[in-house]
Amino acid sequence: MTSFFLLAQAAQPELGWLSSKLLGVTLGSAEWVLWLLVSLSIISIAVMLERAVYFSRHRLANSEALAVRLARGEFDAVAGEVKNQKGMEASVIREALASAQQGPDTVEQVIASTVARERPQYERGLSILGTLGNNAPFIGLFGTVLGIIKAFNDLGAMNAKGGAMQQTVMAGISEALVATAVGLAVAIPAVVAFNIFNRQLKTLTSRTTALGHALVGAMKARKPGAAGGN
C-alpha cells in the first residue's frame, strides 16, 4: 500500500506556475477565518439585541383598543394617548389626526406616506442578519477547504507511514471542519432572528394599517364639518 502511494506521488505532474502560486496562498493558516466568523457572530448578536430593544420600545401595546376608539370617533382622546409615544403606529395616528381637517382622501395619503417613512427604521440592520444567515456557512466552508488543503499538503511533505499518516490526515481534517461548524453556528441564529423581526414588522404594519382604516372609516361616516374631533 505504501509503495502504491509513493508511486502515485511520483507519477503526479509538476504544478504549473499559477497553481503553485495559488497553492502557496492557500497553505497559510485558516485560523483567520475562525476569527472572522467570531467577529461576525459578535456583530450579529449586537444587531439582534439592538433590534429587539428597538421593536419593544417603538410599538403601541394597546393598538387594538385605540383602533376601536378611533372607529367610534374619539379622536381627541386618542391623540392625547399617543402624544408622547414612539413608533410607526403612534406617528401614523398623530399625523393622520393633524391632517383630518383636509378630508379622508388626504388622510389616506398621509398614512401611506408615514408608513413608508417609518418602515426603514424598523428594517435597519435586518439586511446584516440576512446576509450573515446566507453567507456565514460559505465562509466556514472556505475555512474548511483551506484546512483540508493544508492537511493534505503536510501529509505529502512528511515521510510518515501507517498509523502516523492516518493520524495526521484525521487531525488536520477534524480541525478544518471546525470552521464549517462555527459558520453554521453564526448563520442559524441570524436566520432565526431575521425571520422573527420580519414577522414582527409585518404584524406591526398590519396593526398600523388597521388603525388608519379605523380613522378613515370614522371620518367618512361623520359629517364633513365634524371631522376635526369628538
Side-chain angles (χ1 to χ4, degrees):
M1 181 66 183
T2 304
S3 60
F4 175 79
F5 177 76
L6 295 176
L7 181 61
Q9 276 191 319
Q12 289 180 350
E14 291 292 333
L15 293 176
W17 179 83
L18 182 59
S19 298
S20 300
K21 294 298 182 182
L22 292 177
L23 181 61
V25 173
T26 57
L27 287 180
S29 175
E31 187 174 356
W32 65 270
V33 177
L34 295 177
W35 282 109
L36 175 61
L37 288 172
V38 170
S39 301
L40 294 176
S41 177
I42 294 174
I43 293 174
S44 177
I45 293 173
V47 171
M48 292 179 202
L49 294 177
E50 189 274 334
R51 286 293 86 190
V53 173
Y54 186 89
F55 272 77
S56 64
R57 291 182 176 178
H58 292 75
R59 57 174 297 176
L60 291 177
N62 59 339
S63 64
E64 292 83 359
L66 291 178
V68 173
R69 299 179 68 179
L70 286 173
R72 293 174 180 171
E74 302 176 9
F75 298 161
D76 293 337
V78 173
E81 285 202 26
V82 302
K83 182 178 180 180
N84 297 319
Q85 298 291 329
K86 299 179 180 180
M88 182 190 300
E89 299 158 298
S91 297
V92 163
I93 294 175
R94 281 195 301 267
E95 299 194 20
L97 290 175
S99 60
Q101 294 288 350
Q102 302 177 35
D105 293 337
T106 300
V107 170
E108 288 180 342
Q109 296 298 323
V110 170
I111 291 172
S113 174
T114 306
V115 171
R117 187 192 68 217
E118 293 289 328
R119 186 181 178 90
Q121 301 299 321
Y122 291 86
E123 294 175 336
R124 189 177 65 244
L126 297 187
S127 60
I128 296 176
L129 296 179
T131 301
L132 289 179
N134 289 329
N135 295 287
F138 294 105
I139 298 176
L141 181 61
F142 178 68
T144 296
V145 171
L146 292 180
I148 291 176
I149 291 175
K150 186 175 186 303
F152 278 98
N153 183 78
D154 293 342
L155 177 63
M158 66 184 301
N159 295 322
K161 299 180 181 180
M165 181 183 299
Q166 183 179 2
Q167 182 178 3
T168 300
V169 175
M170 293 299 102
I173 293 178
S174 62
E175 182 179 353
L177 289 174
V178 172
T180 298
V182 175
L184 292 174
V186 175
I188 293 174
V191 170
V192 172
F194 178 79
N195 291 333
I196 290 175
F197 289 131
N198 264 330
R199 181 61 183 172
Q200 290 184 357
L201 179 56
K202 290 180 180 178
T203 302
L204 182 64
T205 304
S206 299
R207 293 170 58 178
T208 304
T209 303
L211 289 169
H213 288 166
L215 173 58
V216 173
M219 292 179 61
K220 290 181 177 179
R222 301 177 65 176
K223 294 181 180 179
N230 193 20

